C-alpha cells in the first residue's frame, strides 16, 4: 500500500500548530509520519511541553536545527531524507486543513500519473479583510488545473506557480530531479516546479483540497517579504529571467482596485495602492540586491541569517545589465541549481 508522510518546517509555533496536528492525524488517508523540521528547540519546547501532542501521537518525528542552519531548500531536503514514504506533503505551520480529505485529494493527480506535484487551494480564515480574500481567490481560484510545458506560451510564469504551504510530491520523481534547490532564500517550490515542468511532468493545482491560510502583513513586512522574493528571482535567472512575474503583480493590483470599486469599498483603495508600492519597492530592490550596499541588503531582508559571508560576497557583485548576465552571475546560477 502507498504511504505518505507530512513534512513541516517550524519556527516559533503557536496554538494553531496544536490544532494542525490533530487535523492531520484524522485525514481519510492515514499519514505514516509527521516530520517536523524545527528551528530553535527552545521555542518548540515552550509550546509543546505539558501538552498531549507528543503523548497522544506516536508518529511524530521532531528534528531541531539552529536559525543559522535553516534554508528554504536545504532544510526541506533534510526533512525528505527522514522519510521513506512513496509520497510526501510539504506544509507550513500556519496552514490548517479545511476537512478530512485534503491528503486524499492532493494525492489523486499524482497517483494517476498526471502530475509530479499537487498543491492545495488556500482559503482565508473567518474575519479576514476583503483585500486578503480577493488576493487568495486571484491566486487560488475554484477550478482545478494541471499545468505542463504546453502552457508556457499562455500562462508564462504561472505555469510554475506552486506553494509549499500545502503541496504533495511524488518521491520517485523528486529524487530523479534532485530535490529542492539546495540554497535559496525563497521560492524553492516554484524553482522545483519549473524543473519538473521542463522535464515533462505536470503541476496540479487541486482546488478541492483546501487549507485555511491567510496573512495580515504590515507595509514594512511586505517590503521585507518581497525583497526576499526579488533576491530569489535574481539568483535563479534560469527560471525567472525567461518568464518575468511583474505583469502578474500589476494584474492583481488592477483587479483588486476594480473589486473594491464594484463592492463599494473605495476607501480601501489608497491602502491597496500604498501596500502595492511597498511590495514593488521591496521586489525591485531584491532583484537588484547586488547593486546596493551590503548593510542595506541585510536590513531589507526578512531572513537575516541567510546573509552569511558567501551571500554577502554575492551582494557586492555588480553586474552590467546592458551586457546580459556577467560571468559571476552565471556561476552563481550554476552553483545554486546543483
Amino acid at each position: 500500500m502507498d504511504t505518505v508522510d507530512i513534512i513541516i518546517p517550524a519556527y516559533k509555533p503557536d496554538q494553531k500548530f496544536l490544532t494542525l496536528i490533530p487535523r492531520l492525524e484524522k485525514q481519510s488517508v492515514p499519514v505514516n509520519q509527521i516530520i517536523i523540521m524545527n528551528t530553535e528547540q527552545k521555542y518548540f519546547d515552550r509550546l509543546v511541553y505539558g501538552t498531549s501532542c507528543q503523548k497522544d501521537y506516536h508518529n511524530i518525528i521532531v528534528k531541531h536545527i539552529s536559525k543559522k542552519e535553516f534554508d528554504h531548500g536545504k532544510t526541506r531536503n533534510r526533512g525528505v531524507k527522514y522519510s521513506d514514504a512513496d509520497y510526501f506533503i510539504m506544509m507550513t505551520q500556519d496552514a490548517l486543513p479545511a476537512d478530512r480529505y485534503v491528503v486524499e485529494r492532493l494525492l489523486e493527480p499524482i497517483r494517476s500519473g498526471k502530475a509530479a506535484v499537487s498543491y492545495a487551494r488556500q482559503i482565508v480564515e473567518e474575519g479576514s479583510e476583503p483585500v486578503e480574500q480577493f488576493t487568495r481567490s486571484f491566486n487560488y481560484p475554484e477550478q482545478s488545473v494541471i499545468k505542463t510545458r504546453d502552457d508556457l506560451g499562455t500562462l508564462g510564469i504561472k505555469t510554475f506557480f506552486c506553494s509549499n504551504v500545502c503541496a504533495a510530491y511524488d518521491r520517485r520523481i523528486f529524487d530523479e530531479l534532485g530535490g529542492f534547490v539546495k540554497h535559496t532564500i525563497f521560492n524553492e517550490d516554484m524553482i522545483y516546479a519549473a524543473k519538473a515542468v521542463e522535464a515533462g511532468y505536470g503541476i496540479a493545482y487541486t482546488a478541492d483540497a483546501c487549507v485555511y491560510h491567510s496573512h495580515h502583513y504590515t507595509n514594512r513586512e511586505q517590503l521585507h517579504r518581497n525583497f526576499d522574493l526579488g533576491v530569489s528571482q535574481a539568483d535563479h535567472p534560469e527560471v525567472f529571467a525567461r518568464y518575468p512575474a511583474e505583469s502578474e503583480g500589476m494584474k492583481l493590483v488592477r483587479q483588486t482596485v476594480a473589486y473594491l470599486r464594484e463592492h463599494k469599498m473605495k476607501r480601501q483603495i489608497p491602502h491597496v495602492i500604498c501596500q502595492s508600492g511597498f511590495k514593488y519597492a521591496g521586489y525591485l530592490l531584491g532583484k537588484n540586491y547586488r547593486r546596493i550596499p551590503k548593510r542595506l541588503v541585510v536590513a531589507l531582508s526578512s531572513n537575516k541569517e541567510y546573509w552569511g559571508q558567501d551571500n554577502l560576497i554575492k551582494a557586492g557583485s555588480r553586474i552590467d545589465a546592458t551586457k546580459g548576465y556577467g560571468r559571476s552571475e552565471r556561476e552563481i546560477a550554476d552553483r545554486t541549481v546543483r
Side-chain angles (χ1 to χ4, degrees), residues 308-327:
Q309 186 60 36
D310 288 345
N311 288 322
L312 279 177
I313 291 172
K314 283 165 59 177
S317 174
R318 299 177 64 88
I319 306 296
D320 186 350
T322 64
K323 298 180 180 178
Y325 297 122
R327 180 183 176 190

Side-chain angles (χ1 to χ4, degrees), residues 148-202:
T148 69
R149 58 187 172 195
D150 292 337
D151 298 304
L152 286 167
T154 53
L155 294 179
I157 193 70
K158 291 203 79 171
T159 309
F160 307 141
F161 184 75
C162 180
S163 174
N164 270 343
V165 164
C166 185
Y169 292 81
D170 185 311
R171 176 62 185 271
R172 179 189 64 81
I173 297 173
F174 184 84
D175 289 343
E176 172 193 315
L177 296 178
F180 296 118
V181 62
K182 296 177 178 61
H183 188 54
T184 183
I185 195 170
F186 210 59
N187 266 336
E188 82 293 334
D189 39 20
M190 284 189 68
I191 295 167
Y192 178 83
K195 190 162 47 174
V197 166
E198 291 175 351
Y201 295 107

Side-chain angles (χ1 to χ4, degrees), residues 51-230:
T51 70
S52 60
C53 183
Q54 289 178 307
K55 181 179 71 175
D56 292 348
Y57 307 115
H58 303 288
N59 62 339
I60 298 177
I61 297 174
V62 183
K63 299 294 181 179
H64 298 288
I65 62 173
S66 68
K67 283 190 75 176
K68 289 183 178 180
E69 292 178 277
F70 177 81
D71 181 272
H72 276 265
K74 181 177 70 176
T75 300
R76 285 175 169 83
N77 283 336
R78 285 178 64 178
V80 174
K81 287 181 180 178
Y82 294 116
S83 169
D84 58 4
D86 302 286
Y87 312 103
F88 63 89
I89 294 176
M90 284 289 163
M91 290 194 72
T92 56
Q93 67 188 44
D94 59 347
L96 293 177
D99 56 36
R100 297 179 57 246
Y101 304 101
V102 171
V103 172
E104 178 181 337
R105 290 167 178 163
L106 278 179
L107 291 180
E108 284 175 2
I110 297 179
R111 283 173 163 165
S112 66
K114 295 177 180 178
V117 187
S118 171
Y119 67 101
R121 181 184 180 195
Q122 296 180 31
I123 55 179
V124 296
E125 298 166 326
E126 187 177 346
S128 294
E129 297 178 356
V131 172
E132 179 69 9
Q133 294 176 28
F134 182 80
T135 300
R136 292 293 159 187
S137 66
F138 178 88
N139 289 320
Y140 303 94
E142 296 180 357
Q143 298 78 28
S144 296
V145 65
I146 294 179
K147 301 172 290 185
T148 69
R149 58 187 172 195
D150 292 337
D151 298 304
L152 286 167
T154 53
L155 294 179
I157 193 70
K158 291 203 79 171
T159 309
F160 307 141
F161 184 75
C162 180
S163 174
N164 270 343
V165 164
C166 185
Y169 292 81
D170 185 311
R171 176 62 185 271
R172 179 189 64 81
I173 297 173
F174 184 84
D175 289 343
E176 172 193 315
L177 296 178
F180 296 118
V181 62
K182 296 177 178 61
H183 188 54
T184 183
I185 195 170
F186 210 59
N187 266 336
E188 82 293 334
D189 39 20
M190 284 189 68
I191 295 167
Y192 178 83
K195 190 162 47 174
V197 166
E198 291 175 351
Y201 295 107
I203 306 299
Y205 166 57
T206 308
D208 58 352
C210 297
V211 293
Y212 292 107
H213 183 255
S214 52
H215 287 297
H216 306 282
Y217 291 125
T218 65
N219 288 339
R220 184 174 181 178
E221 288 169 337
Q222 292 284 12
L223 180 77
H224 293 314
R225 178 179 174 83
N226 281 271
F227 178 83
D228 290 349
L229 175 66

